[in-house]
Amino acid sequence: MHRKKFYTAISTIAFGWAAVAAPALATAAGDGERLGSIEKRAWGKTQDNRTVCVYALANANGMSARITDYGGIVVSLTAPDRNGKYEDVVLGYGTLAEYVKDSPYFGSVVGRFGNRIARGKFSLDGQEYTLAVNNGPNHLHGGLKGFDKVIWESEALIRDGAVGVRLHYLSPDGEEGYPGNLDVTVHYWLTDANELRIEYSATTDKATPVNPTHHSYFNLAGAGNGDILGHELMLAADRFTPVDEGLIPTGELRPVAGTPFDFARPTAIGARVGDDDLQLKYGRGYDHNFVLSRWDGKLRLAATVYEPKSGRLMEVLTTEPGVQFYCGNFLDGSNIGKGGKPYEHRYGFCLETQHFPDSPNRPEFPSCTLRPGEQYHHTTVYRFSIK
Ligand code: GLA
């Protein structure tokens, strides 16, 4: 018999867990059934003295996540191994100050445009736009102050089978060079099916490119516990977008068959990453957009990643046409993560679901233009289980 579950939401107004205000929504399932919960507390302040909050979410199975309204960052996310042991599987820092100081987009919402736009320029409806340039000559991940560095309005969400956080941000006309006031909402859900589900939506008052993504670095053996080269990756992609030295797509959609980019069958990330291959040289490893074979805008399986020692399996589903597979090539031990663990070379990998890099300059790629009156939607699910 189906029994409806109820969830606890507790908000704290002052710093610290001790300062708990009244439960916003009370519990009740009785007979010892475990419930999902969500708690909000102040986490710190930015340099301009604005308060940043963090939400602690737990699902009915005991999986947990912490999400902050600064950059929409997933600070931690636990998943069970084959012995039922939960471990934090995303890279990140212990404090807000460390995120503000220097982060390679650990766990953040990226936008307006995830990935690169060549020379920070594009034309739309006959008008040329110039964006902030922050990656050599190119624009990367929304510019100097992208969605990963702003404070989002936030609120706790509860529904049957999931707890979540709603994030809202109004990106003003001209921000980082982009046209239009872009009204963006991101819902993060932690579901009782052990999923982190991310739903993006947006509207605009002028035509503008929109391509937000999520930038968690995963390590299914636990954050800080070694490199990810033994993780076995499957990508549901029969082509990828080769790039130039600056990681800008050449425009070609190249078949992966017979190359180190073929992950049709699960293959260890490290098996071919050191191959003598020009694309791997340009990326310093994998840092490429894969063209999902079955894209039709519906939520479909894009990738699976299996970590053989722990037995953890992560499936990635998305409505997007592409996914950037980045294997942590720029990590070099200089970022000291949670628990004082340094993140060395390739200690984490990202699967950034997206429209293809440099789409605003590539009319042959699926369009990422949002126009007034239209609704942008994108859903991505990271689902955890064991094998
Ligand atoms: C993306 C890019 C990489 C790198 C990381 C952040 O994955 O494609 O080249 O910039 O973000 O370090």
Side-chain angles (χ1 to χ4, degrees), residues 103-105 110 115-116 135 140-141 215 217 247 283 286-288 324-327 329-331 350 352 354:
S103 167
Y105 305 94
V110 166
N115 217 294
R116 293 173 178 78
N135 187 243
L140 174 70
H141 290 339
H215 212 296
Y217 289 68
L247 299 186
Y286 296 104
D287 192 353
H288 293 80
Q324 183 85 6
F325 168 47
Y326 169 59
C327 68
N329 308 311
F330 295 117
L331 297 176
C350 304
E352 304 155 54
Q354 61 185 6

mmCIF file of all heavy atoms in Angstrom, residues 103-105 110 115-116 135 140-141 215 217 247 283 286-288 324-327 329-331 350 352 354, ligand 1:
data_model
loop_
_atom_site.group_PDB
_atom_site.id
_atom_site.type_symbol
_atom_site.label_atom_id
_atom_site.label_comp_id
_atom_site.label_asym_id
_atom_site.label_seq_id
_atom_site.Cartn_x
_atom_site.Cartn_y
_atom_site.Cartn_z
ATOM 1 N N SER A 103 38.252 28.825 -6.791
ATOM 2 C CA SER A 103 37.681 27.499 -7.033
ATOM 3 C C SER A 103 37.608 27.243 -8.530
ATOM 4 O O SER A 103 37.161 28.106 -9.286
ATOM 5 C CB SER A 103 36.265 27.428 -6.446
ATOM 6 O OG SER A 103 35.611 26.277 -6.925
ATOM 7 N N PRO A 104 38.027 26.076 -8.973
ATOM 8 C CA PRO A 104 37.874 25.736 -10.394
ATOM 9 C C PRO A 104 36.441 25.248 -10.688
ATOM 10 O O PRO A 104 36.244 24.197 -11.264
ATOM 11 C CB PRO A 104 38.907 24.633 -10.600
ATOM 12 C CG PRO A 104 38.995 23.950 -9.275
ATOM 13 C CD PRO A 104 38.709 25.001 -8.223
ATOM 14 N N TYR A 105 35.466 26.040 -10.222
ATOM 15 C CA TYR A 105 34.037 25.780 -10.452
ATOM 16 C C TYR A 105 33.543 24.538 -9.699
ATOM 17 O O TYR A 105 32.559 23.922 -10.106
ATOM 18 C CB TYR A 105 33.720 25.656 -11.954
ATOM 19 C CG TYR A 105 34.165 26.850 -12.748
ATOM 20 C CD1 TYR A 105 35.402 26.880 -13.370
ATOM 21 C CD2 TYR A 105 33.351 27.973 -12.848
ATOM 22 C CE1 TYR A 105 35.830 27.993 -14.089
ATOM 23 C CE2 TYR A 105 33.768 29.089 -13.570
ATOM 24 C CZ TYR A 105 35.015 29.085 -14.181
ATOM 25 O OH TYR A 105 35.423 30.188 -14.895
ATOM 26 N N VAL A 110 26.941 26.789 -13.539
ATOM 27 C CA VAL A 110 27.766 27.556 -14.473
ATOM 28 C C VAL A 110 26.842 28.251 -15.467
ATOM 29 O O VAL A 110 25.904 27.643 -15.972
ATOM 30 C CB VAL A 110 28.749 26.610 -15.196
ATOM 31 C CG1 VAL A 110 29.371 27.297 -16.394
ATOM 32 C CG2 VAL A 110 29.843 26.139 -14.240
ATOM 33 N N ASN A 115 31.031 26.507 -20.709
ATOM 34 C CA ASN A 115 32.062 26.259 -21.718
ATOM 35 C C ASN A 115 32.462 27.530 -22.478
ATOM 36 O O ASN A 115 32.148 28.632 -22.061
ATOM 37 C CB ASN A 115 31.679 25.117 -22.653
ATOM 38 C CG ASN A 115 32.895 24.277 -23.018
ATOM 39 O OD1 ASN A 115 33.789 24.765 -23.682
ATOM 40 N ND2 ASN A 115 32.933 23.042 -22.558
ATOM 41 N N ARG A 116 33.139 27.346 -23.604
ATOM 42 C CA ARG A 116 33.857 28.470 -24.231
ATOM 43 C C ARG A 116 33.090 29.112 -25.395
ATOM 44 O O ARG A 116 32.398 28.414 -26.144
ATOM 45 C CB ARG A 116 35.218 27.972 -24.741
ATOM 46 C CG ARG A 116 36.140 27.588 -23.615
ATOM 47 C CD ARG A 116 37.430 26.946 -24.081
ATOM 48 N NE ARG A 116 38.279 26.642 -22.925
ATOM 49 C CZ ARG A 116 38.097 25.595 -22.108
ATOM 50 N NH1 ARG A 116 37.128 24.721 -22.335
ATOM 51 N NH2 ARG A 116 38.888 25.414 -21.072
ATOM 52 N N ASN A 135 39.693 33.186 -20.349
ATOM 53 C CA ASN A 135 40.379 31.913 -20.566
ATOM 54 C C ASN A 135 41.247 32.093 -21.805
ATOM 55 O O ASN A 135 40.808 31.796 -22.907
ATOM 56 C CB ASN A 135 39.325 30.797 -20.749
ATOM 57 C CG ASN A 135 39.932 29.414 -20.801
ATOM 58 O OD1 ASN A 135 39.837 28.718 -21.811
ATOM 59 N ND2 ASN A 135 40.543 28.981 -19.743
ATOM 60 N N LEU A 140 34.899 31.861 -20.965
ATOM 61 C CA LEU A 140 34.641 30.526 -20.378
ATOM 62 C C LEU A 140 33.656 30.633 -19.219
ATOM 63 O O LEU A 140 33.806 31.489 -18.336
ATOM 64 C CB LEU A 140 35.959 29.911 -19.865
ATOM 65 C CG LEU A 140 35.838 28.586 -19.091
ATOM 66 C CD1 LEU A 140 35.437 27.431 -19.999
ATOM 67 C CD2 LEU A 140 37.150 28.252 -18.378
ATOM 68 N N HIS A 141 32.661 29.738 -19.222
ATOM 69 C CA HIS A 141 31.791 29.537 -18.057
ATOM 70 C C HIS A 141 31.156 30.829 -17.533
ATOM 71 O O HIS A 141 31.104 31.066 -16.318
ATOM 72 C CB HIS A 141 32.568 28.849 -16.942
ATOM 73 C CG HIS A 141 32.919 27.410 -17.222
ATOM 74 N ND1 HIS A 141 32.260 26.644 -18.139
ATOM 75 C CD2 HIS A 141 33.887 26.598 -16.693
ATOM 76 C CE1 HIS A 141 32.789 25.424 -18.158
ATOM 77 N NE2 HIS A 141 33.772 25.368 -17.292
ATOM 78 N N HIS A 215 28.768 21.814 -12.469
ATOM 79 C CA HIS A 215 30.210 21.552 -12.547
ATOM 80 C C HIS A 215 30.742 20.761 -11.354
ATOM 81 O O HIS A 215 31.838 21.046 -10.862
ATOM 82 C CB HIS A 215 30.963 22.873 -12.701
ATOM 83 C CG HIS A 215 32.228 22.775 -13.504
ATOM 84 N ND1 HIS A 215 33.319 22.032 -13.098
ATOM 85 C CD2 HIS A 215 32.579 23.315 -14.693
ATOM 86 C CE1 HIS A 215 34.282 22.145 -14.004
ATOM 87 N NE2 HIS A 215 33.860 22.914 -14.981
ATOM 88 N N TYR A 217 32.765 17.987 -9.574
ATOM 89 C CA TYR A 217 33.858 17.055 -9.842
ATOM 90 C C TYR A 217 33.557 15.818 -9.003
ATOM 91 O O TYR A 217 33.516 15.908 -7.773
ATOM 92 C CB TYR A 217 35.194 17.617 -9.364
ATOM 93 C CG TYR A 217 35.765 18.763 -10.135
ATOM 94 C CD1 TYR A 217 35.165 20.016 -10.133
ATOM 95 C CD2 TYR A 217 36.964 18.616 -10.823
ATOM 96 C CE1 TYR A 217 35.731 21.083 -10.813
ATOM 97 C CE2 TYR A 217 37.542 19.679 -11.502
ATOM 98 C CZ TYR A 217 36.918 20.913 -11.491
ATOM 99 O OH TYR A 217 37.484 21.978 -12.157
ATOM 100 N N LEU A 247 40.889 24.965 -27.225
ATOM 101 C CA LEU A 247 39.706 24.169 -26.863
ATOM 102 C C LEU A 247 38.403 24.718 -27.452
ATOM 103 O O LEU A 247 37.326 24.526 -26.894
ATOM 104 C CB LEU A 247 39.595 23.990 -25.336
ATOM 105 C CG LEU A 247 40.771 23.259 -24.676
ATOM 106 C CD1 LEU A 247 40.501 23.000 -23.199
ATOM 107 C CD2 LEU A 247 41.077 21.938 -25.378
ATOM 108 N N GLY A 283 43.676 18.868 -25.163
ATOM 109 C CA GLY A 283 42.868 18.897 -23.927
ATOM 110 C C GLY A 283 43.679 18.608 -22.682
ATOM 111 O O GLY A 283 43.137 18.674 -21.579
ATOM 112 N N TYR A 286 41.237 14.247 -21.422
ATOM 113 C CA TYR A 286 39.873 14.478 -21.897
ATOM 114 C C TYR A 286 39.359 15.815 -21.374
ATOM 115 O O TYR A 286 39.356 16.069 -20.166
ATOM 116 C CB TYR A 286 38.947 13.350 -21.433
ATOM 117 C CG TYR A 286 39.310 12.000 -22.008
ATOM 118 C CD1 TYR A 286 39.953 11.041 -21.222
ATOM 119 C CD2 TYR A 286 39.026 11.689 -23.334
ATOM 120 C CE1 TYR A 286 40.287 9.807 -21.745
ATOM 121 C CE2 TYR A 286 39.372 10.454 -23.861
ATOM 122 C CZ TYR A 286 40.001 9.512 -23.061
ATOM 123 O OH TYR A 286 40.338 8.294 -23.587
ATOM 124 N N ASP A 287 38.948 16.663 -22.279
ATOM 125 C CA ASP A 287 38.285 17.930 -21.950
ATOM 126 C C ASP A 287 37.502 18.303 -23.204
ATOM 127 O O ASP A 287 37.776 19.295 -23.855
ATOM 128 C CB ASP A 287 39.325 18.988 -21.572
ATOM 129 C CG ASP A 287 38.692 20.225 -20.946
ATOM 130 O OD1 ASP A 287 37.440 20.315 -20.927
ATOM 131 O OD2 ASP A 287 39.441 21.111 -20.487
ATOM 132 N N HIS A 288 36.527 17.442 -23.531
ATOM 133 C CA HIS A 288 35.866 17.508 -24.837
ATOM 134 C C HIS A 288 34.357 17.353 -24.704
ATOM 135 O O HIS A 288 33.868 16.684 -23.793
ATOM 136 C CB HIS A 288 36.401 16.398 -25.751
ATOM 137 C CG HIS A 288 37.843 16.579 -26.123
ATOM 138 N ND1 HIS A 288 38.864 16.237 -25.274
ATOM 139 C CD2 HIS A 288 38.424 17.068 -27.245
ATOM 140 C CE1 HIS A 288 40.030 16.512 -25.854
ATOM 141 N NE2 HIS A 288 39.796 17.026 -27.056
ATOM 142 N N GLN A 324 30.199 17.666 -21.712
ATOM 143 C CA GLN A 324 31.637 17.892 -21.640
ATOM 144 C C GLN A 324 32.202 16.896 -20.648
ATOM 145 O O GLN A 324 31.825 16.897 -19.472
ATOM 146 C CB GLN A 324 31.926 19.330 -21.156
ATOM 147 C CG GLN A 324 33.409 19.708 -21.111
ATOM 148 C CD GLN A 324 33.932 20.192 -22.468
ATOM 149 O OE1 GLN A 324 33.153 20.350 -23.416
ATOM 150 N NE2 GLN A 324 35.226 20.420 -22.574
ATOM 151 N N PHE A 325 33.076 16.035 -21.125
ATOM 152 C CA PHE A 325 33.770 15.130 -20.216
ATOM 153 C C PHE A 325 35.149 15.715 -19.962
ATOM 154 O O PHE A 325 35.970 15.845 -20.868
ATOM 155 C CB PHE A 325 33.859 13.724 -20.828
ATOM 156 C CG PHE A 325 34.812 12.824 -20.086
ATOM 157 C CD1 PHE A 325 34.774 12.729 -18.708
ATOM 158 C CD2 PHE A 325 35.754 12.066 -20.776
ATOM 159 C CE1 PHE A 325 35.669 11.917 -18.014
ATOM 160 C CE2 PHE A 325 36.647 11.250 -20.101
ATOM 161 C CZ PHE A 325 36.613 11.181 -18.717
ATOM 162 N N TYR A 326 35.368 16.096 -18.717
ATOM 163 C CA TYR A 326 36.623 16.731 -18.297
ATOM 164 C C TYR A 326 37.198 15.868 -17.180
ATOM 165 O O TYR A 326 36.492 15.567 -16.207
ATOM 166 C CB TYR A 326 36.315 18.156 -17.808
ATOM 167 C CG TYR A 326 37.465 18.832 -17.094
ATOM 168 C CD1 TYR A 326 38.687 19.036 -17.735
ATOM 169 C CD2 TYR A 326 37.342 19.269 -15.770
ATOM 170 C CE1 TYR A 326 39.742 19.648 -17.080
ATOM 171 C CE2 TYR A 326 38.383 19.890 -15.118
ATOM 172 C CZ TYR A 326 39.589 20.070 -15.771
ATOM 173 O OH TYR A 326 40.638 20.676 -15.116
ATOM 174 N N CYS A 327 38.436 15.420 -17.316
ATOM 175 C CA CYS A 327 38.950 14.466 -16.318
ATOM 176 C C CYS A 327 39.934 15.092 -15.341
ATOM 177 O O CYS A 327 40.818 14.401 -14.829
ATOM 178 C CB CYS A 327 39.488 13.200 -16.983
ATOM 179 S SG CYS A 327 40.975 13.398 -17.968
ATOM 180 N N ASN A 329 42.190 17.544 -15.587
ATOM 181 C CA ASN A 329 43.575 17.722 -16.053
ATOM 182 C C ASN A 329 44.280 18.912 -15.431
ATOM 183 O O ASN A 329 45.503 18.941 -15.360
ATOM 184 C CB ASN A 329 43.586 17.881 -17.576
ATOM 185 C CG ASN A 329 42.835 16.756 -18.255
ATOM 186 O OD1 ASN A 329 43.065 15.601 -17.953
ATOM 187 N ND2 ASN A 329 41.904 17.093 -19.146
ATOM 188 N N PHE A 330 43.493 19.924 -15.012
ATOM 189 C CA PHE A 330 44.122 21.130 -14.450
ATOM 190 C C PHE A 330 44.316 21.028 -12.931
ATOM 191 O O PHE A 330 44.909 21.918 -12.333
ATOM 192 C CB PHE A 330 43.304 22.382 -14.785
ATOM 193 C CG PHE A 330 43.268 22.684 -16.264
ATOM 194 C CD1 PHE A 330 42.076 22.671 -16.972
ATOM 195 C CD2 PHE A 330 44.439 22.971 -16.955
ATOM 196 C CE1 PHE A 330 42.035 22.940 -18.328
ATOM 197 C CE2 PHE A 330 44.417 23.241 -18.314
ATOM 198 C CZ PHE A 330 43.205 23.225 -19.012
ATOM 199 N N LEU A 331 43.801 19.994 -12.308
ATOM 200 C CA LEU A 331 44.029 19.831 -10.863
ATOM 201 C C LEU A 331 45.499 19.458 -10.663
ATOM 202 O O LEU A 331 46.044 18.620 -11.384
ATOM 203 C CB LEU A 331 43.126 18.730 -10.289
ATOM 204 C CG LEU A 331 41.618 18.972 -10.357
ATOM 205 C CD1 LEU A 331 40.864 17.752 -9.846
ATOM 206 C CD2 LEU A 331 41.222 20.215 -9.559
ATOM 207 N N CYS A 350 34.392 15.660 -14.386
ATOM 208 C CA CYS A 350 33.121 16.369 -14.547
ATOM 209 C C CYS A 350 32.391 15.815 -15.760
ATOM 210 O O CYS A 350 33.029 15.453 -16.760
ATOM 211 C CB CYS A 350 33.344 17.861 -14.786
ATOM 212 S SG CYS A 350 34.308 18.676 -13.516
ATOM 213 N N GLU A 352 29.584 17.615 -17.721
ATOM 214 C CA GLU A 352 28.834 18.867 -17.792
ATOM 215 C C GLU A 352 27.873 18.780 -18.969
ATOM 216 O O GLU A 352 28.290 18.861 -20.126
ATOM 217 C CB GLU A 352 29.806 20.039 -17.972
ATOM 218 C CG GLU A 352 30.876 20.114 -16.895
ATOM 219 C CD GLU A 352 32.139 20.836 -17.358
ATOM 220 O OE1 GLU A 352 32.044 21.974 -17.836
ATOM 221 O OE2 GLU A 352 33.236 20.250 -17.249
ATOM 222 N N GLN A 354 25.238 19.925 -21.629
ATOM 223 C CA GLN A 354 25.278 21.254 -22.245
ATOM 224 C C GLN A 354 24.898 21.223 -23.727
ATOM 225 O O GLN A 354 24.822 20.168 -24.338
ATOM 226 C CB GLN A 354 26.719 21.787 -22.149
ATOM 227 C CG GLN A 354 27.716 20.887 -22.894
ATOM 228 C CD GLN A 354 29.177 21.296 -22.749
ATOM 229 O OE1 GLN A 354 29.509 22.206 -22.005
ATOM 230 N NE2 GLN A 354 30.069 20.632 -23.474
HETATM 231 C C1 GLA B 1 35.629 22.888 -17.942
HETATM 232 C C2 GLA B 1 36.563 23.230 -19.051
HETATM 233 C C3 GLA B 1 37.961 22.910 -18.618
HETATM 234 C C4 GLA B 1 38.295 23.647 -17.347
HETATM 235 C C5 GLA B 1 37.301 23.327 -16.292
HETATM 236 C C6 GLA B 1 37.520 24.141 -15.072
HETATM 237 O O1 GLA B 1 35.510 21.551 -17.817
HETATM 238 O O2 GLA B 1 36.252 22.584 -20.249
HETATM 239 O O3 GLA B 1 38.863 23.240 -19.625
HETATM 240 O O4 GLA B 1 38.287 25.030 -17.587
HETATM 241 O O5 GLA B 1 35.988 23.545 -16.754
HETATM 242 O O6 GLA B 1 38.840 24.105 -14.634
#
